Amino acid sequence: MRTAGSTALVTGASGGIGRAVAAALTQAGADVIGLGRNLPALQRLAEACGADVHAVDLASEDALARFITAALPGMPPIDILVNGAGVGGYAALAGQSPSAVHELLAVNARAPLLLTQAVLPGMLARGRGRIVNVGSIAGAVGVRNEAAYGASKAALAGLSRALAVELAGTGVGVTLVTLGAVDTPFFARRGAAYDRRWPRPIHPDQAARALVRAIASDRGAVVVPGWLSIPIWLQAAAPTLYARLARRFG
């Protein structure tokens, strides 16, 4: 997949990982269309790298539908879709509000599904394109007090795997980028700061560079940082042992 000369639609581009991805794709020669909630931040992104930006609240079903039906058809054909927007929530599920759970599922799962559905016909007609979903370690192994968030990211992983099979041989690829902790305002917004001494959160630029490399090399899955592949493998291969270790070490 060539990034140079491609048009990339990046969600969550107003900050954090999404902004870093938008900048990295621009540096790689792509024309970026950035979506986000924070219009001033989007405008700063546009000034910094020339991205075409649009304020869209992905938690709103109506706002997303308006973008898909009214704005998207007038844009250049989308070659790369990066579903980078995400919201977190740190709370025991029994005490989490239904509205918080609804927002988690809307932004982290529903929006990527509907945006993917919207851009796929054009990609298939052209015989090229890539869907990139930004996942989380919480969706792969399960993390205490992140049941709803982990469920939303597990849904994104399931979408990625099923689509990869569905699209085999079409020229359209799927990449799942599974991330550990990233140093962004995500943790403050989820309701609890990151309080582990180890592992230290990575810089969003590191995640963005890995994502762009995955696109360029047509990789179906990448874990950042790479050592997180070990607990993911252990949870899948020996879930009872993993659960025992998770209870002990957190």
Side-chain angles (χ1 to χ4, degrees):
M1 182 75 206
R2 290 177 56 86
T3 53
S6 296
T7 297
L9 176 62
V10 180
T11 69
S14 54
I17 297 165
R19 191 187 195 285
V21 168
L25 282 170
T26 299
Q27 292 173 358
D31 295 321
V32 171
I33 301 169
L35 304 189
R37 299 190 203 193
N38 187 328
L39 182 56
L42 287 172
Q43 291 169 337
R44 289 192 293 271
L45 174 67
E47 294 169 0
C49 67
D52 177 22
V53 297
H54 300 262
V56 180
D57 182 1
L58 297 182
S60 166
E61 188 172 4
D62 291 340
L64 177 59
R66 283 195 301 273
F67 173 78
I68 290 173
T69 59
L72 190 59
M75 295 178 177
I78 304 301
D79 302 302
I80 301 167
L81 169 63
V82 179
N83 288 308
V87 296
Y90 189 84
L93 185 61
Q96 205 163 16
S97 70
S99 62
V101 173
H102 183 274
E103 182 184 28
L104 280 168
L105 294 174
V107 175
N108 298 354
R110 183 184 67 196
L113 181 61
L114 293 178
L115 285 168
T116 298
Q117 187 181 45
V119 302
L120 265 181
M123 290 182 176
L124 290 170
R126 296 186 299 276
R128 65 184 298 271
R130 183 154 291 269
I131 306 296
V132 184
N133 293 322
V134 178
S136 168
I137 185 68
V141 301
V143 177
R144 182 185 292 114
N145 289 332
E146 292 190 283
Y149 174 72
S152 70
K153 289 299 188 178
L156 197 58
L159 169 65
S160 303
R161 297 184 184 111
L163 263 185
V165 177
E166 185 176 317
L167 299 175
T170 66
V172 181
V174 182
T175 299
L176 173 64
V177 181
T178 302
L179 299 177
V182 183
D183 187 11
T184 72
F186 170 88
F187 292 102
R189 291 170 183 162
R190 74 172 184 171
Y194 186 80
D195 59 359
R196 293 175 180 265
R197 293 183 181 178
W198 186 88
R200 295 181 63 182
I202 65 171
H203 194 279
D205 288 347
Q206 181 181 344
R209 288 193 298 268
L211 184 150
V212 173
R213 288 195 300 269
I215 293 173
S217 58
D218 294 330
R219 293 187 63 181
V222 62
V223 179
V224 187
W227 67 266
L228 283 177
S229 298
I230 297 172
I232 292 173
W233 172 85
L234 182 61
Q235 196 280 333
T240 301
L241 173 59
Y242 178 84
R244 188 179 304 125
L245 292 171
R247 285 194 296 271
R248 179 175 179 179
F249 297 106

